[in-house]
Amino acid sequence: MEKKGILIVVSGFSGAGKGTLMKELLSRYPEDYALSISATTRSPREGEEDGREYFFKTKDEFEKMIAKGELIEYAKYVENYYGTPRSYVETKLAEGKDVILEIEIQGALKVKEAFPDTLLLFITPPTAGELRSRLVGRGTETMDVIESRMRRACEEAEGMERYDYLIVNDDLGECVKRMHGIIQGEHDRSFRNREFMENIKKDLERLKGEE
Ligand code: ADP
Ligand code: 5GP
């Protein structure tokens, strides 16, 4: 049976460990997943490269992408635009890969509306205190930005119930295993296997006719 790719949205508070988790998931299971690279108007952090973490765009360039319909969704997050380029997602799904979008909640809900079969996963650290420690420990933002991300986390927490699964990122290795298990299980959901069911029904009818 041909495996169809699932569109997966991963959201979670900034600092929850989404980026770290994605890296680990892709390095353990490189054949199964494709990670979409978003476009953004925020500046690159130290060590980030254009085309690897993000496609870094000016506001003008980003607005042109919106106008041309090149983004599946986009949202404004703490003063910057972020959006998902359409072509990569469509190509990889057609190749049978599970495509992961690591995006915030407004974008997640827009994707779910446009593609109702999307699997929504929400990543959280075990406690709020751990979230702050991870944001501080990452050392990539000023205290002001950390505070605005903590405030944003309060707002985002209101939307957690709308996700299909809540994944607590405590021990990284365990968390990667759990996430992979959830996604693999998702492939067996009956609504994702309509074609198989139709075919076996036809085969059963055919064999019955041969008796
Ligand atoms: P996000 O992409 O959600 O903003 P990151 O992946 O950048 O988060 O992780 C934030 C910080 O937390 C990083 O310094 C990372 O090394 C650390 N981190 C991620 N996962 C864990 C974990 N399971 N346990 C401890 N620290 C973690
Ligand atoms: P960061 O600046 O920490 O890389 O990302 C900030 C937030 O933007 C994160 O919650 C991240 O998931 C989200 N994000 C990244 N890319 C996209 C995207 O293409 N669309 C949307 N809606 N959010 C995104």
Side-chain angles (χ1 to χ4, degrees):
M1 187 173 53
E2 207 176 296
K3 187 186 152 209
K4 282 218 179 74
I6 299 179
L7 186 56
I8 302 161
V9 165
V10 171
S11 304
F13 314 123
S14 177
K18 301 178 298 295
T20 311
L21 255 173
M22 293 308 107
K23 239 187 224 162
E24 191 59 26
L25 187 77
L26 265 92
S27 84
R28 287 197 197 181
Y29 312 101
E31 295 305 315
D32 293 339
Y33 300 108
L35 184 63
S36 160
I37 301 171
S38 297
T40 183
T41 57
R42 92 151 158 70
S43 318
R45 293 185 186 128
E46 185 131 353
E48 285 184 337
E49 258 177 46
D50 188 42
R52 191 179 64 193
E53 281 79 13
Y54 283 104
F55 296 106
F56 295 99
K57 303 284 177 195
T58 62
K59 189 158 173 267
D60 203 43
E61 287 168 339
F62 196 98
E63 284 171 350
K64 283 203 177 105
M65 291 178 85
I66 299 174
K68 286 195 207 149
E70 288 173 9
L71 302 173
I72 288 182
E73 62 73 41
Y74 66 93
K76 227 173 191 177
Y77 176 93
V78 193
E79 302 306 312
N80 282 299
Y81 277 130
Y82 293 81
T84 307
R86 183 182 302 280
S87 61
Y88 177 86
V89 172
E90 290 179 349
T91 309
K92 292 293 166 183
L93 282 176
E95 284 173 12
K97 300 263 188 200
D98 292 336
V99 178
I100 302 181
L101 315 183
E102 195 223 293
I103 65 179
E104 53 64 70
I105 186 162
Q106 302 166 52
L109 299 178
K110 281 187 226 159
V111 172
K112 181 78 180 176
E113 222 174 275
F115 307 97
D117 290 353
T118 304
L119 176 65
L120 298 184
L121 309 179
F122 195 91
I123 312 294
T124 169
T127 64
E130 176 66 15
L131 180 65
R132 181 187 286 271
S133 312
R134 286 185 191 173
L135 275 173
V136 174
R138 188 168 68 188
T140 49
E141 269 90 14
T142 60
M143 275 322 279
D144 264 8
V145 174
I146 290 177
E147 289 315 325
S148 61
R149 286 182 178 225
M150 288 299 290
R151 279 195 297 277
R152 176 70 186 225
C154 284
E155 291 165 27
E156 291 193 332
E158 292 301 319
M160 285 189 287
E161 284 88 352
R162 303 180 75 166
Y163 283 71
D164 297 309
Y165 290 88
L166 186 76
I167 302 180
V168 179
N169 175 21
D170 195 347
D171 177 83
L172 185 70
E174 276 301 310
C175 189
V176 171
K177 247 196 274 168
R178 264 201 337 273
M179 188 169 161
H180 182 66
I182 287 170
I183 298 167
Q184 294 319 298
E186 191 66 23
H187 278 280
D188 298 331
R189 299 280 299 272
S190 55
F191 80 90
R192 297 195 191 275
N193 292 283
R194 291 212 174 93
E195 204 179 316
F196 176 88
M197 293 190 291
E198 284 314 309
N199 287 339
I200 202 159
K201 276 185 205 163
K202 272 188 217 139
D203 275 358
L204 284 166
E205 286 299 329
R206 196 172 42 78
L207 281 188
K208 192 175 75 178
E210 281 173 11
E211 264 169 25

